Amino acid sequence: MMRNDMNFALVAMISNDNSTQNQSLNKSQQILGTGTDDQKTIVKSVVISSFYWCYVLSQVVGGVATELFGTKCVFGWSQLATALCSFMMPSAAQLHYIAVIVLRSIQGFASGLTWPAMYAIVGYWIPLTERSRFMSSFQGFSIGIGLTYPLCGFILSEWGWPYIFYTTGTLGLGWCILWYFLAFNTPREHPRITKDELNYIELNVRKEVNSSVKVKVPWLQIFKSIPAWAIAITTFGRIFVHYIFIVNGPTFMGNVLKFNFETNGFLSGVPFICSYISSVLFCYIADKIVLYKVLSLTNVRKLFTALSQIIPGVLIYCIGYIDNVYILLTVWFIAVIFITASYAGAMANIIDLAPNYGHSAAVLAFCQTIHMSASFISPLTAGFIVTQEDSIDQWRRVFEVSAIISILTYLIYQIFGTAEIQTWNKGLPVNDDSDEGKVLSTAKDDLDNTAGPI
């Protein structure tokens, strides 16, 4: 919610004298509304992009910080920083738009730490046959988007944009309190876990994870890993399309489809609520396919990655040529819903490559550094193409470019993707004379004797 509140609030923060919607707002609330139309467009693009520039830069930092301090600490403090910035956003907007850009940059950097931190915890808690279902919990961001846009539309109409940031900031602080009391890095650290659950988890995750052996992150091997590059590239295409819906969706619905704030917020948000439900379904089906060995794990990942990119790619291309608003919205909803299949595909594949020693956080940091660049390239591309926000011809070109990128990047994954554990994660050379070396050597022998190809 704190990541996406700005996408909607900017509709009111940057005034447009020709906009009927903005004429109904209190002019004193249009803090960023001075200057020519071109200047306003530039300010809007920079404000939105500033979050994602720093978000991309902090991915590797998140992986390293998680290795040093653990998921609970890194995730908790990053969200606290993001929430405090949300509270300060209205004051920053009154001061100068540069202050808004600074706060959004801080939020972006802090939020970039969270994904590597989340991935690091999966190997300790989640057995292989439940991994896809657990990955659906990462789709909480879809719930956030789905709630943020309708909520923003209501708040904007009733009280004005500053209360959007006060609301999301308050919710962020509430989450931090819950996180502090409920989240723990490993099952053994959890004070309220039952013995049965602890035994079940430890029997079903790999011995290397349970041994708590600390192994230096093999950054060079990760950088040279073709499967890791395949994940990064294909997910770039998915995120490029996804952010057209997330960032540019409210603008398209407001300026082309001519919906008011409340309708715009509802229609922009509902597909993401549905996409969370669909992600749970996709991940459940993927786990069952793995459990009953209907397909190999590699083919499961490729199947659901295809669903997340081929179908949305074709549908977003069609959106530009649909005149009936009801059919257009239906196609829009279906495209957003299928995008989440990636969490049973390429996104889950990150943990498949490196489930041991917490190195999935490092792989995630590497992949995110590449594919999350789409989070600012996508809106910048749309801003470059769409110079008249009510021009369907210009929006059509945005949709066509998005479709091509989505489909072509998937083909890379189809060719080079795999779910096999990488050799650099099965066991790394250490000093065999040390106690750590003995533990690691034993864990490696157990893996070689028990683990066949996936």
Side-chain angles (χ1 to χ4, degrees):
M1 295 183 75
M2 292 184 291
R3 181 188 305 186
N4 291 287
D5 51 9
M6 183 63 73
N7 299 338
F8 208 96
L10 272 176
V11 176
M13 293 171 70
I14 297 182
S15 65
N16 183 344
D17 295 336
N18 296 324
S19 171
T20 303
Q21 294 180 3
N22 279 319
Q23 288 173 5
S24 66
L25 294 174
N26 185 338
K27 292 296 179 182
S28 67
Q29 293 179 347
Q30 297 172 356
I31 303 299
L32 305 180
T34 59
T36 65
D37 289 342
D38 288 343
Q39 291 172 333
K40 294 173 190 175
T41 300
I42 293 171
V43 170
K44 183 176 180 180
S45 298
V46 173
V47 169
I48 290 176
S49 300
S50 60
F51 181 98
Y52 298 103
W53 296 338
C54 295
Y55 184 93
V56 171
L57 293 175
S58 65
Q59 296 300 310
V60 173
V61 177
V64 174
T66 302
E67 290 280 333
L68 295 175
F69 305 110
T71 294
K72 181 171 184 172
C73 179
V74 174
F75 202 169
W77 283 104
S78 66
Q79 292 295 82
L80 178 62
T82 307
L84 293 177
C85 287
S86 286
F87 273 112
M88 293 188 288
M89 201 65 71
S91 298
Q94 291 179 344
L95 181 64
H96 198 276
Y97 70 82
I98 295 296
V100 174
I101 293 172
V102 170
L103 286 182
R104 285 296 284 176
S105 299
I106 295 172
Q107 284 186 316
F109 188 90
S111 295
L113 305 176
T114 61
W115 281 89
M118 288 192 295
Y119 269 78
I121 209 171
V122 175
Y124 294 99
W125 280 90
I126 310 301
L128 175 63
T129 55
E130 299 179 20
R131 192 171 293 162
S132 294
R133 274 171 287 171
F134 180 79
M135 292 298 294
S136 68
S137 69
F138 291 7
Q139 278 293 305
F141 88 86
S142 292
I143 297 179
I145 299 170
L147 295 178
T148 300
Y149 287 161
L151 185 62
C152 287
F154 174 76
I155 293 174
L156 205 54
S157 296
E158 297 295 326
W159 298 297
W161 64 263
Y163 290 92
I164 292 175
F165 298 105
Y166 296 143
T167 301
T168 57
T170 300
L171 292 172
L173 289 178
W175 177 92
C176 289
I177 294 171
L178 293 175
W179 178 258
Y180 178 80
F181 288 106
L182 299 178
F184 298 89
N185 291 318
T186 65
R188 283 197 171 272
E189 293 179 24
H190 203 298
R192 296 177 296 277
I193 194 171
T194 65
K195 289 184 178 180
D196 288 342
E197 184 177 6
L198 179 61
N199 290 336
Y200 172 78
I201 292 172
E202 292 190 339
L203 285 172
N204 286 279
V205 298
R206 294 187 178 277
K207 289 186 173 68
E208 288 89 337
V209 174
N210 288 329
S211 68
S212 298
V213 175
K214 294 297 182 182
V215 179
K216 185 178 180 180
V217 177
W219 288 108
L220 181 60
Q221 288 90 335
I222 292 172
F223 183 80
K224 294 190 297 184
S225 173
I226 299 300
W229 276 98
I231 293 172
I233 292 171
T234 194
T235 312
F236 176 95
R238 176 184 65 83
I239 290 176
F240 191 98
V241 173
H242 208 183
Y243 273 74
I244 293 296
F245 291 113
I246 293 173
V247 177
N248 301 107
T251 301
F252 177 79
M253 289 193 177
N255 290 281
V256 177
L257 303 184
K258 306 298 183 182
F259 293 126
N260 60 35
F261 283 135
E262 291 173 85
T263 303
N264 188 346
F266 177 79
L267 293 175
S268 296
V270 167
F272 293 97
I273 294 290
C274 296
S275 72
Y276 172 75
I277 298 172
S278 69
S279 73
V280 175
L281 178 61
F282 286 133
C283 292
Y284 175 82
I285 294 172
D287 275 342
K288 292 303 180 183
I289 294 174
V290 172
L291 180 63
Y292 294 108
K293 300 180 180 179
V294 178
L295 295 172
S296 69
L297 187 58
T298 295
N299 286 332
V300 170
R301 299 309 186 211
K302 289 182 177 180
L303 171 63
F304 284 90
T305 304
L307 292 177
S308 72
Q309 291 189 226
I310 300 298
I311 294 177
V314 172
L315 293 180
I316 198 171
Y317 178 86
C318 295
I319 286 173
Y321 296 91
I322 298 175
D323 295 327
N324 186 297
V325 67
Y326 298 105
I327 297 176
L328 186 151
L329 290 175
T330 301
V331 172
W332 185 287
F333 281 30
I334 294 172
V336 172
I337 286 170
F338 269 90
I339 286 174
T340 60
S342 178
Y343 283 83
M347 295 303 289
N349 194 189
I350 290 171
I351 304 169
D352 300 329
L353 298 183
N356 307 316
Y357 319 117
H359 289 171
S360 55
V363 178
L364 186 277
F366 167 74
C367 293
Q368 286 260 91
T369 301
I370 297 170
H371 69 229
M372 283 308 298
S373 61
S375 62
F376 63 84
I377 292 175
S378 177
L380 286 177
T381 301
F384 177 78
I385 296 175
V386 179
T387 56
Q388 295 178 304
E389 293 182 338
D390 59 350
S391 171
I392 186 60
D393 290 331
Q394 293 181 358
W395 282 104
R396 187 176 292 136
R397 287 198 290 273
V398 171
F399 298 147
E400 290 170 351
V401 169
S402 301
I404 292 170
I405 291 175
S406 180
I407 294 171
L408 289 182
T409 53
Y410 166 73
L411 296 178
I412 301 296
Y413 184 73
Q414 176 62 37
I415 296 170
F416 298 107
T418 181
E420 294 183 6
I421 299 176
Q422 299 301 285
T423 54
W424 42 263
N425 193 242
K426 290 182 179 179
L428 298 174
V430 296
N431 185 353
D432 290 334
D433 293 332
S434 67
D435 292 337
E436 181 179 326
K438 292 176 183 178
V439 173
L440 188 56
S441 177
T442 301
K444 184 179 184 300
D445 291 341
D446 290 338
L447 176 64
D448 292 339
N449 291 333
T450 60
I454 297 177

